[in-house]
Amino acid sequence: MIEQGAKSETRADTAIPAPVGQGYTFGSVSDKISALVLTGRTPRGWWLGFLFSFLWLMILLYAIGYLVLEGVGIWGINIPVAWGFAITNFVWWIGIGHAGTLISAILLLLHQQWRTSINRFAEAMTLFAVACAGLFPLLHLGRPWFFYWLFPYPNTMKIWPQFRSPLIWDVFAVSTYMTVSLMFWYVGLIPDVATLRDRARSRLAQITYGILALGWRGSAYHWHRYEVAYLILAGLATPLVVSVHTVVSFDFAVANLPGWHSTVFPPYFVAGAIFSGFAMVLTIAIPLRAVYHLEDFISDWHLENMAKIMLATGLLVAYGYFIEAFMAWYGGNRFEQYVQLNRMFGPYAVWYWLLIGCNVLAPQLLWVKRFRRNTTLLLIVALIVLVGMWLERFVIIITSLHRDFLPSSWGMYSPTIWDWATLIGSVGLFLSLLFLFVRLLPIISMFEMRTLVSETQVHEHTARNLGEE
Amino acid sequence: MAVEPKLHAVMAEFATPQELIDAVAAARAHGYRQIDAFTPFPIEGLAETLGFTGTRLPLIIFLGGLFGGVGGFWMQYWCAAINYPVNIGGRPLNSWPSFIPVTFELTILSAALVAVLGMLALNRLPMPYHPVFNVPSFALASRDRFFLLIETGDPLFDAESTRTFLNELHPRQVVDVPE
């Protein structure tokens, strides 16, 4: 990742396109981005998209309603496969969220200016993905209304959570991640919401954005503390994002089950998370920039950078698959060997080879610059990777659980219609939130764009002066 | 004069960041101390030019993180080893390596909460009302204008001479900020 960053940095000194399109001023960037939100007219495409997502969201509502009524027996889960779709979906969604934090925090610390065009909606994506992720373990509890039993609070039963269990680590990791992502996003929004407050015409918008802006007035003293806080938050979010997926991988790696009990899991899960996250950022960015004509802010160069990160993390993931198979053979443990062979040639072999095709073969197209510059192809690869990463979690969970040490306890798992309804429904929840975000809040950080414009002007100024000498 | 609202400050409006930086330096050189500058994006070094000596925020955040870490570990130790000790597979009651992930998460959580709330508190935000919002053109402070403000509380403040001083800096305009 760092190498990737360093490479584009050197290119930035030579011949890269400016992070903002030519000819923009402080005023015009603010106007163009805020107009998307403040316009009274809602595009028809937005309504269609939102309606579609909302229908899917209703599927989720229905599926959850039935689940609460009947219990987790409506899903395909059983003993031995007690985790099924719920945990697959959980790991998939939380992994998608990781790209947002990577873009907003890690690329900020690495001075990657191109992140400015995409960090706002990538952070929103993080938030919504974590919201979807959080649903699944809660629903999987069986009695989701007792979710607060997971937290250490003084209770009438006089017992405490088991802090030696990775599942409790998960509770703390995910809720910390949600809280920190929300704060990071909101702090970034404060100056932009102040811009909306000052530019809004309708009374309702003025009051709403006014409350959200907390009375921000852009004082130099405030900016100073703001930047200190923002930078430290980025520094805190960076180890946090790595820790979250590490803890998620501990859910598996700490167990003694063949196929799970492996030290490669934490780094391989983190790489996979970023891989799927960038696929989701591309899946959102490509249609968004086409619909709202944001090519000046999200250029082909931005998409190409994301494609490169996807390729790099994809290779790390491929290495993970390879080392899993290698260690199964090299470790000489019969059970590990069996799990690996069962993955490749057992009853779920189709899913395994589909996953290899999606996650290992498809991204190899991105070695070619022409393909990285082809937005349609990029979108297709991103969608394939999203499917592939979902399959990866499915294969890890199902194949390890369904055949463990004792053949007498083997079983099979097949999802029911309610499993699929909950998965599709969670996509509906994600998309609905995303559509609302696009309509109600600035999708690109305006104040950071103004900073970029300012720096571009200084660059042009210096270039002119050098030319005169 | 009696019917006019009380004056809070006098404010000059500039079109570029460089003009504002020069104006702030001039105001400081002239001896003004109760001054503030408003910009649509952070400008490096502007706060220092205004006479800002630095913020305690990093220290406060560090203490927040320390509290979260120590408190987080202590909470787990107290729950697992003191209040309700349970022997699980013969593992020690204080199985500290297992307590590290939660300790880490609570360190980050506490530090991040303190970072955000501390930043807002030190900035005296949320503040729904502030006199600067009485100036109509101040709406552009969040778009593309740069403002220098000299408060009436400044020892050197005198409505007439301060206005004259600001006018000499060639701003777009100089306006009064009523309370």
Side-chain angles (χ1 to χ4, degrees), chain A residues 31 158-160 162-164 169 195 198-199 214-215 217-225 240 243 450, chain B residues 35-40 48 50 52 78 83-84 88 93 95 98 104-105 122-123 125-127 130 142-143:
Chain A
D31 294 349
K158 291 197 166 184
I159 52 168
W160 301 107
Q162 174 53 276
F163 289 111
R164 300 176 189 91
W169 304 346
T195 302
D198 294 339
R199 299 190 51 70
L214 306 176
R217 49 187 193 277
S219 156
Y221 296 104
H222 291 187
W223 277 122
H224 185 92
R225 294 193 190 95
L240 176 65
S243 85
R450 290 192 285 260
Chain B
I35 54 179
D36 202 346
F38 301 93
T39 59
E48 285 80 355
L50 281 167
F52 191 51
W78 185 80
N83 188 251
Y84 202 106
I88 292 168
L93 292 176
S95 26
S98 303
F104 175 80
E105 301 300 338
L122 289 174
N123 283 344
L125 294 175
M127 186 184 280
H130 192 275
S142 64
R143 184 174 177 266

Side-chain angles (χ1 to χ4, degrees), chain A residues 25-28 30-31 152 157-165 168-169 172-177 179-180 183-184 186-187 190-191 194-199 211 213-229 232-233 235-237 239-240 243-244 247 250 447-448 450-451 454 457, chain B residues 15-17 33 35-43 46-48 50-52 54-55 57-58 61 75-76 78-80 83-84 86 88 91-95 97-99 101-102 104-106 108-109 111-113 115-116 119-120 122-128 130 132-133 138-144 146:
Chain A
T25 63
F26 303 134
S28 62
S30 313
D31 294 349
M157 295 165 283
K158 291 197 166 184
I159 52 168
W160 301 107
Q162 174 53 276
F163 289 111
R164 300 176 189 91
S165 160
I168 284 297
W169 304 346
F172 281 86
V174 174
S175 47
T176 298
Y177 188 44
T179 315
V180 172
M183 289 195 299
F184 201 56
Y186 181 61
V187 166
I190 292 173
T195 302
L196 292 180
R197 169 199 67 198
D198 294 339
R199 299 190 51 70
I211 291 171
L214 306 176
W216 181 262
R217 49 187 193 277
S219 156
Y221 296 104
H222 291 187
W223 277 122
H224 185 92
R225 294 193 190 95
Y226 179 90
E227 286 210 294
V228 168
I232 294 180
L233 270 181
L236 291 168
L240 176 65
S243 85
V244 171
V247 167
F250 283 165
F447 86 88
E448 287 177 292
R450 290 192 285 260
T451 315
S454 160
Q457 283 176 350
Chain B
T16 67
R33 286 300 172 263
I35 54 179
D36 202 346
F38 301 93
T39 59
F41 56 88
I43 294 175
L46 187 60
E48 285 80 355
L50 281 167
F52 191 51
T55 170
L57 197 54
I61 298 172
M75 172 190 76
Q76 297 175 80
W78 185 80
C79 291
N83 188 251
Y84 202 106
V86 185
I88 292 168
R91 287 174 184 80
L93 292 176
N94 176 26
S95 26
S98 303
F99 298 161
V102 172
F104 175 80
E105 301 300 338
L106 289 176
I108 299 281
L109 179 66
L113 279 169
V116 174
M119 182 271 285
L120 291 176
L122 289 174
N123 283 344
R124 305 279 183 276
L125 294 175
M127 186 184 280
H130 192 275
V132 288
F133 291 119
F138 190 74
L140 294 174
S142 64
R143 184 174 177 266
D144 62 348
F146 303 81

Side-chain angles (χ1 to χ4, degrees), chain A residues 3 15 49 78 136 145-146 202 261 272 276 281 317 352 391 462:
Chain A
E3 205 179 337
N78 53 37
F136 285 99
W145 50 94
F146 289 135
S202 87
H261 192 62
S276 62
V281 176
V317 169
Y352 181 81
L391 287 170
T462 330

Side-chain angles (χ1 to χ4, degrees), chain A residues 34-161:
Chain A
S34 60
L36 301 178
V37 177
L38 294 174
T39 170
R41 288 187 47 229
T42 307
R44 185 177 297 168
W46 186 91
W47 279 114
L48 281 174
F50 182 69
L51 198 71
F52 172 77
S53 320
F54 192 72
L55 283 177
W56 281 24
L57 175 61
M58 290 302 105
I59 296 177
L60 178 70
L61 192 67
Y62 193 80
I64 292 179
Y66 189 55
L67 178 83
V68 170
L69 209 63
E70 285 291 316
V72 289
I74 65 168
W75 290 343
I77 52 174
N78 53 37
I79 300 296
V81 187
W83 277 11
F85 261 35
I87 306 304
T88 306
N89 298 342
F90 162 67
V91 181
W92 185 61
W93 274 121
I94 198 130
I96 285 171
H98 281 33
T101 320
L102 182 101
I103 290 167
S104 58
I106 301 182
L107 295 186
L108 177 80
L109 297 179
L110 293 175
H111 299 289
Q112 294 296 301
Q113 285 187 334
W114 60 275
R115 76 177 257 293
T116 304
S117 310
I118 51 173
N119 72 332
R120 171 65 49 70
F121 74 81
E123 285 169 33
M125 176 200 82
T126 295
L127 219 50
F128 306 150
V130 176
C132 291
L135 268 182
F136 285 99
L138 294 189
L139 296 177
H140 192 250
L141 289 174
R143 291 185 291 173
W145 50 94
F146 289 135
F147 74 95
Y148 58 89
W149 286 9
L150 292 163
F151 291 103
Y153 70 101
N155 54 69
T156 52
M157 295 165 283
K158 291 197 166 184
I159 52 168
W160 301 107

Side-chain angles (χ1 to χ4, degrees), chain B residues 14 22 25 58 137 148 178:
Chain B
F14 299 92
D22 296 343
S137 64
L148 169 61

